[in-house]
Amino acid sequence: MLVLLLLLLPPPPLGWAVEVKRPRGVPLTNHHFYDESKPFTCLDGSATIPFDQVNDDYCDCKDGSDEPGTAACPNGSFHCTNAGYKPLYILSSRVNDGICDCCDGTDEYNSGTVCENTCKEKGRKERESLQQMAEVTREGFRLKKILIEDWKKAREEKQKKLTEFQAGRKSLEDQVEALRTLKEEAEKPEKEAKEQHRKLWEEQQAAAKAQREQERAADAFRELDDNTDGVVSVAELQSHPELDTDGDGTLSEGEAQALLSGDSQTDASSFYDRVWAAIRDKYQSEALPTDLPAPPAPEVTEPKEEPPSVPTHPMEEEEEETEEEEVEEEEEEEEQDSQEAPSPLEPPLPASPREEDKMPPYDEQTQALIDAAQEARSKFEEAERSLKDMEESIKNLEQEISFDFGPQGEFAYLYSQCYELTTTEYVYRLCPFKLVSQKPKLGGSPTNLGTWGSWAGPEHDRFSAMKYEQGTGCWQGPNRSTTVRLLCGKETMVTSTTEPSRCEYLMELTTPAACSEPPPELPADSDHDEL
């Protein structure tokens, strides 16, 4: 800053210009150590020598302070005055080495090299650069003040909205509880009516099933009663070997008698009560089923055009016919196999329930209760969703209002924004106070380079850097992390991204919020000389 002020200061009046005599290579700040009327004492106190041995091209002092203007001492330094630009120290070894190191050329006073004095031109460019930086700082700080005012207004609005939400939450909670009670009251008669409907249907189903079972048993009795004498005997039962109980494939007289509960015959009423339950699962009816599925219609294929026959030897024709028949048989077998064997990728569809097995529609009274309960549920669920949304809004507002957005909230505008930087390989994305990610430019999944951790600037400038931590883990390495440096700028943009260390990224973001208050504007620039 001192250099900036010196460069921007106007030249002093001619009456003020004073040339202070000092040995070559000595800065103005050290001229009082070099008094030609006294012996010279080395700056490190290692020796005292006559003054005429200063700059005599022989190194007498250990620190090289007796040869500020020559290359005699390897550890010495030469001071370039560089009037009109910035002073500079160079190694003594570069004095008179034929290379112009000082912009005023004073380091090559005895080498024969002619150095052009470029200090004024460099000073002009430096001042232009400083002026541009000062302009950026002034404009950035102006925008920063607007950002601060915007956050003050936004914070007041958010606080007002938060207060309204907090006040409305209680009434919405009461509404949810009232609707919950109405829902439960409506669901109770609905449940009872649905259970009554199901119970009645199940009773009907059970009665129909019992009726079908009795009919089936009566059909079986009639089939078994071969002589139609009204009873089923042991011999008649033996005509159905599938009723075998010991697994030998035949129904013996003893087995048949055991099925008849030890009797030699049974009438129709006793047959259903004592015999049918034991044989119903094995019994095979003699009557043909009347509800067999219709055979599939044969596939109609268009006849293929056959090429004209070519006369061949009779034996060759027979061989070809035989081969064709074999091929056709193989194809038919393959088709049958493919039809019989279900595809492993297509599981069999579950059998659809019969119409009589489906529960009938609810009656009007039950349906009315169901509709009323559903309406109560819908109103309750809608109110409950509204309450959850409100609680989420309250949580977000509380978090945003209490967040540390800088000394005066100047960084708050970054909270809901994201910024990208595209390089040759990746697209980097920074969402301040949330996360940093990296995505391949040519497509692919993004990689988390860290989520918001904390402000990470030095103690005296804590808001100059952000730290994002616990990103995606590196292969056999730590989790990725990113440090974001905040630089003063008129626009908000990511200007660079690097990886100084493995899995540790450095990103730079320019923003008006990082601009400090500039010093008062100084008079017009002009050249100046070092006093």
Side-chain angles (χ1 to χ4, degrees):
M1 183 57 71
L2 177 61
V3 174
L4 173 60
L5 292 174
L6 288 174
L7 289 174
L8 296 179
L9 282 173
L14 294 177
W16 289 10
V18 178
E19 182 180 355
V20 180
K21 294 184 64 176
R22 57 193 188 274
R24 190 190 308 274
V26 175
L28 182 62
T29 54
N30 287 352
H31 79 277
H32 56 281
F33 294 116
Y34 296 85
D35 187 349
E36 61 183 10
S37 64
K38 300 177 183 178
F40 175 74
T41 299
C42 301
L43 297 185
D44 64 355
S46 59
T48 300
I49 59 174
F51 194 82
D52 58 6
Q53 292 183 15
V54 174
N55 280 342
D56 64 350
D57 208 18
Y58 183 83
C59 193
D60 298 292
C61 298
K62 293 180 179 179
D63 60 358
S65 56
D66 63 315
E67 298 296 321
T70 73
C73 298
N75 59 338
S77 60
F78 180 88
H79 180 262
C80 305
T81 303
N82 290 346
Y85 188 52
K86 295 182 291 188
L88 177 68
Y89 281 98
I90 64 172
L91 296 175
S92 293
S93 59
R94 297 183 180 179
V95 175
N96 291 324
D97 63 351
I99 300 174
C100 302
D101 297 293
C102 303
C103 66
D104 59 6
T106 53
D107 60 314
E108 299 300 321
Y109 62 90
N110 196 30
S111 66
T113 300
V114 179
C115 296
E116 180 183 358
N117 191 328
T118 60
C119 290
K120 289 187 178 180
E121 179 63 20
K122 286 190 173 184
R124 183 185 65 80
K125 292 182 179 179
E126 178 77 7
R127 285 188 291 276
E128 287 179 356
S129 176
L130 291 173
Q131 285 175 351
Q132 292 175 358
M133 291 174 59
E135 173 60 26
V136 169
T137 301
R138 282 193 295 271
E139 178 63 16
F141 186 71
R142 185 187 70 81
L143 296 173
K144 177 179 180 178
K145 290 192 290 186
I146 296 175
L147 293 174
I148 292 172
E149 289 301 316
D150 288 346
W151 170 239
K152 286 181 180 178
K153 294 177 182 177
R155 194 173 188 278
E156 290 175 359
E157 292 176 359
K158 292 178 186 296
Q159 186 63 57
K160 181 180 178 181
K161 187 178 293 185
L162 176 61
T163 303
E164 293 174 356
F165 281 169
Q166 290 172 335
R169 177 169 57 183
K170 182 65 174 65
S171 62
L172 192 53
E173 287 174 344
D174 294 341
Q175 181 183 355
V176 168
E177 289 306 314
L179 290 173
R180 188 196 305 277
T181 302
L182 291 176
K183 178 181 77 75
E184 292 172 352
E185 290 175 352
E187 285 177 338
K188 185 176 181 181
E190 176 203 33
K191 182 180 179 182
E192 292 174 353
K194 289 172 74 174
E195 288 179 350
Q196 181 65 27
H197 180 83
R198 176 175 289 278
K199 182 179 179 181
L200 179 61
W201 173 67
E202 288 176 349
E203 290 175 352
Q204 293 173 350
Q205 285 289 95
K209 183 179 178 181
Q211 179 65 28
R212 288 195 300 270
E213 196 66 23
Q214 286 181 350
E215 291 174 357
R216 186 182 170 197
D219 291 341
F221 182 84
R222 284 192 293 270
E223 290 178 359
L224 289 171
D225 185 12
D226 292 333
N227 56 8
T228 65
D229 60 352
V231 294
V232 172
S233 63
V234 170
E236 289 173 330
L237 201 61
Q238 284 183 279
S239 64
H240 281 259
E242 74 272 10
L243 303 179
D244 171 39
T245 58
D246 60 4
D248 61 357
T250 60
L251 183 65
S252 65
E253 183 179 349
E255 289 173 327
Q257 195 168 6
L259 291 174
L260 295 176
S261 302
D263 297 333
S264 60
Q265 61 184 19
T266 182
D267 58 14
S269 60
S270 300
F271 177 82
Y272 181 77
D273 296 333
R274 297 160 49 194
V275 180
W276 177 243
I279 68 171
R280 62 183 298 277
D281 293 332
K282 294 182 179 181
Y283 180 76
Q284 296 178 2
S285 176
E286 298 172 356
L288 290 174
T290 58
D291 55 348
L292 286 175
E299 295 183 1
V300 179
T301 57
E302 297 181 1
K304 297 181 180 179
E305 295 183 2
E306 297 181 358
S309 59
V310 179
T312 57
H313 193 276
M315 289 296 293
E316 292 178 357
E317 290 180 358
E318 292 178 3
E319 291 176 359
E320 290 179 359
E321 289 177 1
T322 305
E323 290 176 359
E324 289 176 0
E325 290 176 359
E326 291 177 355
V327 170
E328 289 177 359
E329 290 177 359
E330 290 177 358
E331 290 178 353
E332 289 176 0
E333 290 177 359
E334 290 177 357
E335 290 179 1
Q336 291 176 358
D337 292 342
S338 62
Q339 291 175 359
E340 292 174 1
S343 171
L345 300 178
E346 299 178 2
L349 296 175
S352 58
R354 296 179 301 175
E355 286 298 324
E356 59 267 23
D357 292 336
K358 295 180 181 178
M359 188 167 65
Y362 295 109
D363 58 79
E364 291 184 5
Q365 184 177 2
T366 302
Q367 189 61 50
L369 293 172
I370 293 173
D371 294 341
Q374 183 57 44
E375 183 179 0
R377 276 192 293 270
S378 299
K379 290 181 178 179
F380 168 74
E381 290 169 358
E382 184 179 354
E384 194 174 41
R385 280 194 301 270
S386 299
L387 179 59
K388 288 181 179 179
D389 292 343
M390 179 177 286
E391 289 175 342
E392 185 67 21
S393 299
I394 290 173
K395 177 184 175 183
N396 293 336
L397 284 171
E398 288 176 341
Q399 181 180 0
E400 189 171 354
I401 290 171
S402 62
F403 204 92
D404 187 359
F405 289 123
Q408 300 180 74
E410 56 267 36
F411 294 100
Y413 81 102
L414 299 172
Y415 188 71
S416 58
Q417 305 296 323
C418 291
Y419 305 92
E420 291 186 350
L421 174 67
T422 301
T423 64
T424 55
E425 295 184 64
Y426 298 102
V427 177
Y428 293 92
R429 183 177 177 86
L430 166 65
C431 298
F433 308 111
K434 294 180 178 64
L435 60 86
V436 183
S437 63
Q438 167 190 276
K439 186 177 181 180
K441 187 177 180 181
L442 300 179
S445 301
T447 300
N448 186 345
L449 302 185
T451 54
W452 168 254
S454 62
W455 293 103
E459 186 175 350
H460 66 280
D461 193 12
R462 191 165 66 92
F463 300 99
S464 62
M466 298 172 165
K467 188 69 174 180
Y468 295 80
E469 304 168 314
Q470 297 302 316
T472 304
C474 286
W475 172 251
Q476 294 184 345
N479 290 81
R480 289 174 172 83
S481 62
T482 302
T483 299
V484 179
R485 290 177 55 197
L486 303 174
L487 306 176
C488 174
K490 293 188 288 185
E491 298 181 6
T492 305
M493 63 176 66
V494 178
T495 57
S496 69
T497 301
T498 57
E499 189 177 1
S501 303
R502 182 170 180 258
C503 306
E504 295 181 1
Y505 298 82
L506 176 63
M507 185 176 284
E508 291 187 345
L509 176 75
T510 61
T511 166
C515 296
S516 302
E517 183 175 5
E521 292 191 36
L522 299 171
D525 301 336
S526 62
D527 297 341
H528 74 280
D529 295 334
E530 181 182 88
L531 299 180

